[in-house]
Coordinates of all heavy atoms in Angstrom, one line a residue:
K162 N -13.0 21.3 -21.3 CA -13.8 20.1 -21.1 C -13.1 19.3 -20.0 O -11.9 19.4 -19.8 CB -13.9 19.3 -22.4 CG -14.7 19.9 -23.5 CD -14.8 19.0 -24.7 CE -15.6 19.7 -25.8 NZ -15.7 18.8 -27.0
A163 N -13.9 18.5 -19.3 CA -13.3 17.7 -18.2 C -12.5 16.5 -18.7 O -11.5 16.2 -18.0 CB -14.5 17.2 -17.3
E164 N -12.9 15.9 -19.7 CA -12.2 14.7 -20.2 C -10.8 14.9 -20.6 O -9.9 14.3 -20.1 CB -13.0 14.0 -21.3 CG -12.4 12.8 -21.9 CD -12.3 11.6 -20.9 OE1 -13.1 11.7 -20.0 OE2 -11.5 10.8 -21.1
P165 N -10.5 15.9 -21.5 CA -9.1 16.1 -21.9 C -8.3 16.7 -20.8 O -7.1 16.6 -20.7 CB -9.2 17.0 -23.1 CG -10.5 17.6 -23.0 CD -11.4 16.6 -22.4
A166 N -9.0 17.5 -19.9 CA -8.3 18.1 -18.7 C -7.7 17.0 -17.8 O -6.6 17.1 -17.3 CB -9.2 19.0 -18.0
S167 N -8.5 15.9 -17.6 CA -8.0 14.8 -16.8 C -6.8 14.1 -17.4 O -5.8 13.8 -16.7 CB -9.1 13.8 -16.5 OG -10.2 14.4 -15.9
S168 N -6.9 13.8 -18.7 CA -5.8 13.2 -19.4 C -4.6 14.1 -19.4 O -3.4 13.7 -19.3 CB -6.2 12.9 -20.8 OG -7.3 12.0 -20.8
W169 N -4.8 15.4 -19.5 CA -3.7 16.4 -19.5 C -3.0 16.4 -18.1 O -1.8 16.4 -18.1 CB -4.2 17.8 -19.8 CG -3.5 18.9 -19.2 CD1 -3.8 19.5 -18.0 CD2 -2.2 19.5 -19.6 NE1 -2.9 20.5 -17.7 CE2 -1.9 20.5 -18.7 CE3 -1.4 19.3 -20.7 CZ2 -0.7 21.3 -18.8 CZ3 -0.2 20.0 -20.8 CH2 0.1 21.0 -19.9
T170 N -3.8 16.3 -17.1 CA -3.2 16.3 -15.7 C -2.3 15.0 -15.5 O -1.3 15.1 -15.0 CB -4.3 16.4 -14.7 OG1 -5.1 17.5 -15.0 CG2 -3.7 16.5 -13.3
I171 N -2.9 13.9 -16.0 CA -2.1 12.6 -15.9 C -0.8 12.7 -16.7 O 0.3 12.3 -16.3 CB -3.0 11.4 -16.3 CG1 -4.2 11.3 -15.4 CG2 -2.1 10.2 -16.4 CD1 -5.2 10.3 -15.9
F172 N -0.9 13.3 -17.9 CA 0.3 13.4 -18.8 C 1.3 14.3 -18.1 O 2.5 13.8 -18.0 CB -0.2 14.0 -20.1 CG 1.0 14.6 -20.9 CD1 1.8 13.7 -21.6 CD2 1.2 15.9 -20.9 CE1 2.8 14.2 -22.4 CE2 2.3 16.5 -21.7 CZ 3.1 15.6 -22.4
I173 N 1.0 15.4 -17.6 CA 2.0 16.4 -17.2 C 2.6 15.9 -15.8 O 3.7 16.3 -15.5 CB 1.4 17.8 -17.0 CG1 2.5 18.8 -17.0 CG2 0.5 17.9 -15.8 CD1 3.3 18.9 -18.2
C174 N 1.9 15.1 -15.1 CA 2.4 14.6 -13.8 C 3.2 13.4 -13.9 O 4.1 13.1 -13.1 CB 1.2 14.4 -12.8 SG 0.4 15.9 -12.3
S175 N 2.9 12.5 -14.9 CA 3.6 11.2 -15.0 C 4.8 11.3 -16.0 O 5.5 10.2 -16.2 CB 2.6 10.1 -15.4 OG 2.0 10.4 -16.7
I176 N 5.0 12.4 -16.6 CA 6.1 12.4 -17.6 C 7.5 12.6 -17.0 O 8.5 12.0 -17.5 CB 5.9 13.6 -18.6 CG1 6.8 13.5 -19.8 CG2 6.0 14.9 -17.9 CD1 6.6 14.5 -20.9
W177 N 7.5 13.2 -15.8 CA 8.8 13.5 -15.2 C 9.7 12.3 -14.8 O 10.9 12.3 -15.1 CB 8.7 14.5 -14.1 CG 7.8 15.7 -14.4 CD1 6.6 16.1 -13.8 CD2 8.1 16.6 -15.4 NE1 6.1 17.2 -14.4 CE2 7.0 17.6 -15.4 CE3 9.1 16.8 -16.4 CZ2 6.9 18.7 -16.3 CZ3 9.0 17.9 -17.2 CH2 7.9 18.8 -17.2
P178 N 9.1 11.3 -14.2 CA 10.0 10.1 -13.8 C 10.6 9.5 -15.1 O 11.7 9.0 -15.0 CB 9.0 9.2 -13.1 CG 7.9 10.1 -12.5 CD 7.8 11.2 -13.6
M179 N 9.8 9.4 -16.2 CA 10.4 8.8 -17.4 C 11.5 9.6 -18.0 O 12.5 9.1 -18.4 CB 9.3 8.5 -18.4 CG 8.4 7.4 -18.0 SD 7.1 7.0 -19.2 CE 5.9 8.3 -18.9
V180 N 11.3 10.9 -18.0 CA 12.4 11.8 -18.5 C 13.6 11.7 -17.6 O 14.8 11.5 -18.2 CB 11.9 13.3 -18.5 CG1 13.0 14.2 -18.9 CG2 10.7 13.4 -19.5
I181 N 13.5 11.8 -16.3 CA 14.7 11.8 -15.5 C 15.4 10.5 -15.5 O 16.6 10.4 -15.6 CB 14.2 12.2 -14.0 CG1 13.7 13.7 -14.0 CG2 15.4 12.1 -13.0 CD1 13.1 14.1 -12.7
N182 N 14.6 9.4 -15.3 CA 15.3 8.1 -15.3 C 15.9 7.7 -16.6 O 17.0 7.1 -16.6 CB 14.3 7.0 -14.9 CG 14.0 7.0 -13.4 OD1 14.7 6.3 -12.7 ND2 13.0 7.7 -13.0
T183 N 15.3 8.1 -17.7 CA 15.9 7.8 -19.0 C 17.2 8.6 -19.2 O 18.2 8.1 -19.7 CB 14.9 8.1 -20.2 OG1 13.7 7.3 -19.9 CG2 15.5 7.7 -21.5
A184 N 17.1 9.9 -18.9 CA 18.3 10.7 -19.1 C 19.5 10.2 -18.2 O 20.6 10.2 -18.6 CB 18.0 12.2 -18.7
E185 N 19.2 9.8 -16.9 CA 20.2 9.4 -16.0 C 20.8 8.0 -16.5 O 22.0 7.8 -16.4 CB 19.6 9.2 -14.6 CG 20.6 8.9 -13.5 CD 21.6 10.0 -13.4 OE1 21.3 11.2 -13.7 OE2 22.7 9.8 -12.9
G186 N 19.9 7.2 -17.1 CA 20.4 5.9 -17.6 C 21.3 6.1 -18.8 O 22.3 5.4 -18.9
V187 N 21.0 7.1 -19.6 CA 21.9 7.4 -20.8 C 23.3 7.9 -20.3 O 24.3 7.6 -20.8 CB 21.2 8.4 -21.7 CG1 22.2 8.9 -22.8 CG2 20.0 7.8 -22.4
R188 N 23.2 8.8 -19.3 CA 24.5 9.3 -18.8 C 25.4 8.2 -18.1 O 26.6 8.4 -18.1 CB 24.2 10.4 -17.7 CG 23.5 11.6 -18.3 CD 23.5 12.8 -17.2 NE 22.7 13.9 -17.7 CZ 21.5 14.1 -17.2 NH1 20.9 13.3 -16.3 NH2 20.7 15.1 -17.6
R189 N 24.8 7.2 -17.6 CA 25.6 6.2 -16.9 C 26.1 5.1 -17.9 O 26.7 4.1 -17.4 CB 24.7 5.5 -15.8 CG 24.5 6.5 -14.7 CD 23.7 5.8 -13.5 NE 23.5 6.7 -12.4 CZ 22.9 6.3 -11.3 NH1 22.5 5.0 -11.2 NH2 22.7 7.1 -10.3
I190 N 25.9 5.2 -19.1 CA 26.4 4.2 -20.1 C 27.9 4.3 -20.1 O 28.5 5.4 -20.2 CB 25.8 4.5 -21.5 CG1 24.3 4.2 -21.5 CG2 26.5 3.6 -22.5 CD1 23.7 4.5 -22.8
P191 N 28.6 3.2 -20.0 CA 30.1 3.2 -20.0 C 30.6 3.9 -21.3 O 30.1 3.7 -22.4 CB 30.5 1.8 -20.0 CG 29.3 1.1 -19.4 CD 28.1 1.8 -19.8
Q192 N 31.6 4.7 -21.1 CA 32.2 5.5 -22.2 C 32.8 4.6 -23.2 O 32.9 4.9 -24.4 CB 33.2 6.5 -21.7 CG 33.7 7.5 -22.7 CD 32.6 8.4 -23.3 OE1 31.6 8.7 -22.6 NE2 32.7 8.8 -24.6
D193 N 33.3 3.4 -22.8 CA 33.9 2.5 -23.7 C 32.9 2.1 -24.9 O 33.3 1.8 -26.0 CB 34.4 1.2 -23.0 CG 35.5 1.5 -22.0 OD1 36.1 2.6 -22.2 OD2 35.7 0.8 -21.1
Y194 N 31.6 1.9 -24.5 CA 30.7 1.6 -25.5 C 30.6 2.6 -26.6 O 30.6 2.3 -27.8 CB 29.3 1.4 -24.9 CG 29.1 0.2 -24.0 CD1 28.0 0.0 -23.2 CD2 30.2 -0.6 -23.7 CE1 27.8 -1.0 -22.3 CE2 30.1 -1.7 -22.8 CZ 28.9 -1.9 -22.1 OH 28.7 -2.9 -21.3
L195 N 30.6 3.9 -26.2 CA 30.5 5.0 -27.2 C 31.8 5.1 -28.0 O 31.8 5.5 -29.2 CB 30.2 6.3 -26.5 CG 28.9 6.2 -25.7 CD1 28.6 7.6 -25.0 CD2 27.7 5.9 -26.6
N196 N 32.9 4.8 -27.3 CA 34.2 4.9 -28.0 C 34.3 3.8 -29.1 O 34.8 4.1 -30.3 CB 35.4 4.7 -27.1 CG 35.5 5.9 -26.1 OD1 35.0 7.0 -26.4 ND2 36.1 5.6 -24.9
V197 N 33.8 2.6 -28.8 CA 33.7 1.6 -29.9 C 32.8 2.0 -31.0 O 33.1 1.8 -32.2 CB 33.3 0.3 -29.2 CG1 33.0 -0.8 -30.3 CG2 34.3 -0.2 -28.3
A198 N 31.7 2.7 -30.7 CA 30.8 3.1 -31.8 C 31.5 4.2 -32.6 O 31.3 4.2 -33.9 CB 29.5 3.7 -31.1
R199 N 32.3 5.0 -32.0 CA 33.0 6.0 -32.9 C 34.1 5.4 -33.7 O 34.3 5.8 -34.9 CB 33.7 7.1 -31.9 CG 32.7 7.9 -31.2 CD 33.4 9.1 -30.5 NE 32.5 9.9 -29.7 CZ 32.4 9.7 -28.4 NH1 33.2 8.8 -27.8 NH2 31.6 10.4 -27.7
V200 N 34.8 4.4 -33.2 CA 35.8 3.7 -34.0 C 35.1 3.0 -35.2 O 35.7 3.0 -36.3 CB 36.5 2.7 -33.1 CG1 37.4 1.8 -34.0 CG2 37.4 3.4 -32.1
L201 N 34.0 2.4 -35.0 CA 33.3 1.7 -36.0 C 32.5 2.6 -36.9 O 31.9 2.2 -37.9 CB 32.3 0.6 -35.5 CG 33.0 -0.5 -34.7 CD1 31.9 -1.4 -34.1 CD2 33.9 -1.3 -35.5
Q202 N 32.5 3.9 -36.6 CA 31.8 5.0 -37.4 C 30.3 4.6 -37.6 O 29.8 4.7 -38.7 CB 32.5 5.2 -38.7 CG 33.9 5.7 -38.6 CD 34.6 5.9 -40.0 OE1 34.0 5.6 -41.0 NE2 35.8 6.4 -40.0
L203 N 29.7 4.3 -36.4 CA 28.3 4.0 -36.5 C 27.5 5.2 -36.5 O 27.8 6.3 -35.9 CB 27.9 3.1 -35.3 CG 28.6 1.8 -35.1 CD1 28.1 1.1 -33.8 CD2 28.4 0.9 -36.3
S204 N 26.3 5.2 -37.2 CA 25.4 6.3 -37.2 C 24.7 6.5 -35.9 O 24.7 5.6 -35.1 CB 24.4 6.1 -38.4 OG 23.6 5.0 -38.1
E205 N 24.2 7.7 -35.7 CA 23.5 8.0 -34.4 C 22.3 7.1 -34.2 O 22.0 6.7 -33.1 CB 23.1 9.5 -34.4 CG 22.5 9.9 -33.1 CD 23.5 9.9 -32.0 OE1 24.7 10.0 -32.3 OE2 23.1 9.9 -30.8
W206 N 21.6 6.8 -35.3 CA 20.5 5.9 -35.2 C 20.9 4.5 -34.8 O 20.3 3.8 -34.0 CB 19.7 5.8 -36.5 CG 18.6 4.8 -36.5 CD1 18.6 3.7 -37.3 CD2 17.4 4.7 -35.7 NE1 17.5 2.9 -37.1 CE2 16.7 3.5 -36.1 CE3 16.9 5.5 -34.7 CZ2 15.5 3.2 -35.5 CZ3 15.7 5.1 -34.1 CH2 15.0 4.0 -34.5
T207 N 22.0 4.0 -35.4 CA 22.6 2.7 -35.0 C 23.0 2.7 -33.5 O 22.8 1.7 -32.8 CB 23.7 2.3 -35.9 OG1 23.2 2.4 -37.3 CG2 24.2 0.9 -35.7
V208 N 23.7 3.7 -33.1 CA 24.1 3.8 -31.7 C 22.9 3.8 -30.8 O 22.9 3.1 -29.8 CB 25.0 5.1 -31.5 CG1 25.3 5.3 -30.0 CG2 26.2 5.0 -32.3
M209 N 21.9 4.5 -31.2 CA 20.7 4.5 -30.4 C 20.0 3.2 -30.3 O 19.6 2.7 -29.2 CB 19.7 5.6 -30.9 CG 18.4 5.7 -30.2 SD 18.7 6.7 -28.7 CE 19.1 8.3 -29.4
R210 N 20.0 2.5 -31.4 CA 19.3 1.2 -31.5 C 20.1 0.0 -30.9 O 19.5 -0.9 -30.3 CB 18.9 0.9 -32.9 CG 18.0 -0.3 -33.2 CD 17.5 -0.3 -34.6 NE 18.5 0.0 -35.6 CZ 19.2 -1.0 -36.2 NH1 19.0 -2.2 -35.9 NH2 20.1 -0.7 -37.1
K211 N 21.4 0.0 -31.1 CA 22.2 -1.1 -30.8 C 22.9 -1.0 -29.4 O 23.2 -2.0 -28.8 CB 23.3 -1.4 -31.8 CG 22.7 -1.8 -33.2 CD 22.1 -3.1 -33.2 CE 21.7 -3.6 -34.6 NZ 21.1 -5.0 -34.6
I212 N 23.1 0.3 -29.0 CA 23.9 0.5 -27.8 C 23.1 1.2 -26.7 O 22.9 0.6 -25.6 CB 25.2 1.3 -28.1 CG1 26.1 0.6 -29.1 CG2 25.9 1.6 -26.8 CD1 27.3 1.3 -29.5
L213 N 22.5 2.3 -27.0 CA 21.9 3.1 -26.0 C 20.6 2.4 -25.4 O 20.4 2.3 -24.2 CB 21.5 4.5 -26.5 CG 22.7 5.4 -26.9 CD1 22.2 6.8 -27.3 CD2 23.6 5.6 -25.7
F214 N 19.7 2.0 -26.3 CA 18.4 1.5 -25.9 C 18.6 0.2 -25.1 O 18.0 0.1 -24.0 CB 17.5 1.3 -27.1 CG 16.1 0.9 -26.7 CD1 15.2 1.8 -26.2 CD2 15.7 -0.4 -26.7 CE1 13.9 1.5 -25.8 CE2 14.4 -0.8 -26.4 CZ 13.5 0.2 -25.9
P215 N 19.4 -0.8 -25.5 CA 19.5 -2.0 -24.6 C 20.2 -1.6 -23.3 O 19.8 -2.2 -22.2 CB 20.4 -2.9 -25.4 CG 20.2 -2.5 -26.9 CD 20.1 -1.0 -26.8
A216 N 21.1 -0.7 -23.2 CA 21.8 -0.4 -22.0 C 20.9 0.5 -21.1 O 21.0 0.4 -19.8 CB 23.1 0.4 -22.3
V217 N 20.0 1.3 -21.6 CA 19.1 2.2 -20.8 C 17.8 1.5 -20.5 O 17.1 2.1 -19.7 CB 18.9 3.5 -21.6 CG1 18.1 4.5 -20.9 CG2 20.3 4.1 -21.9
L218 N 17.5 0.4 -21.0 CA 16.2 -0.2 -20.8 C 15.8 -0.4 -19.4 O 14.7 -0.2 -19.0 CB 16.1 -1.6 -21.6 CG 14.7 -2.3 -21.6 CD1 13.7 -1.4 -22.2 CD2 14.8 -3.6 -22.3
P219 N 16.7 -0.9 -18.5 CA 16.3 -1.0 -17.1 C 15.9 0.3 -16.4 O 15.0 0.4 -15.7 CB 17.6 -1.6 -16.4 CG 18.3 -2.3 -17.5 CD 18.1 -1.5 -18.7
A220 N 16.7 1.4 -16.8 CA 16.3 2.7 -16.2 C 15.0 3.2 -16.8 O 14.2 3.8 -16.1 CB 17.4 3.7 -16.6
V221 N 14.7 2.9 -18.1 CA 13.4 3.3 -18.7 C 12.3 2.6 -18.0 O 11.2 3.2 -17.7 CB 13.5 3.0 -20.2 CG1 12.1 3.2 -20.8 CG2 14.5 3.9 -20.9
L222 N 12.4 1.3 -17.8 CA 11.4 0.5 -17.1 C 11.1 1.0 -15.7 O 10.0 1.0 -15.2 CB 11.7 -1.0 -17.1 CG 11.8 -1.6 -18.5 CD1 12.1 -3.1 -18.4 CD2 10.4 -1.5 -19.2
T223 N 12.2 1.4 -15.0 CA 12.0 2.0 -13.7 C 11.2 3.3 -13.7 O 10.3 3.5 -12.9 CB 13.4 2.3 -13.0 OG1 14.1 1.1 -12.9 CG2 13.2 2.9 -11.6
G224 N 11.5 4.1 -14.7 CA 10.7 5.3 -14.9 C 9.3 5.1 -15.2 O 8.3 5.7 -14.8
V225 N 9.0 4.0 -16.1 CA 7.7 3.7 -16.4 C 6.9 3.2 -15.2 O 5.7 3.5 -15.0 CB 7.7 2.6 -17.5 CG1 6.3 2.0 -17.7 CG2 8.2 3.2 -18.8
R226 N 7.6 2.4 -14.4 CA 6.9 1.9 -13.2 C 6.5 3.0 -12.2 O 5.4 3.0 -11.7 CB 7.8 0.9 -12.5 CG 7.3 0.3 -11.2 CD 8.2 -0.8 -10.6 NE 9.5 -0.2 -10.3 CZ 9.8 0.4 -9.2 NH1 8.9 0.6 -8.3 NH2 11.0 0.9 -9.0
L227 N 7.4 4.0 -12.0 CA 7.1 5.1 -11.2 C 6.0 6.0 -11.8 O 5.1 6.5 -11.1 CB 8.3 5.9 -11.0 CG 9.5 5.3 -10.2 CD1 10.7 6.2 -10.1 CD2 9.0 4.9 -8.8
S228 N 6.0 6.1 -13.1 CA 5.0 7.0 -13.7 C 3.6 6.4 -13.7 O 2.6 7.1 -13.5 CB 5.4 7.2 -15.2 OG 6.6 8.0 -15.3
I229 N 3.5 5.1 -13.8 CA 2.2 4.5 -13.8 C 1.6 4.6 -12.4 O 0.4 4.7 -12.2 CB 2.2 3.0 -14.3 CG1 0.8 2.5 -14.6 CG2 2.9 2.1 -13.3 CD1 0.2 3.1 -15.7

Side-chain angles (χ1 to χ4, degrees):
K162 292 181 181 180
E164 178 66 22
S167 301
S168 300
W169 149 262
T170 307
I171 296 172
F172 163 79
I173 199 64
C174 292
S175 60
I176 191 175
W177 309 120
M179 286 185 282
V180 173
I181 295 173
N182 281 272
T183 303
E185 189 64 25
V187 172
R188 294 191 190 101
R189 292 185 178 182
I190 293 178
Q192 189 62 33
D193 295 340
Y194 294 175
L195 303 179
N196 293 336
V197 172
R199 293 192 187 97
V200 171
L201 297 178
Q202 297 182 355
L203 300 179
S204 63
E205 187 67 22
W206 171 247
T207 304
V208 172
M209 183 76 67
R210 184 168 50 92
K211 295 292 186 179
I212 298 177
L213 294 183
F214 187 76
V217 180
L218 186 59
V221 172
L222 294 180
T223 301
V225 169
R226 179 175 59 85
L227 295 175
S228 295
I229 195 65

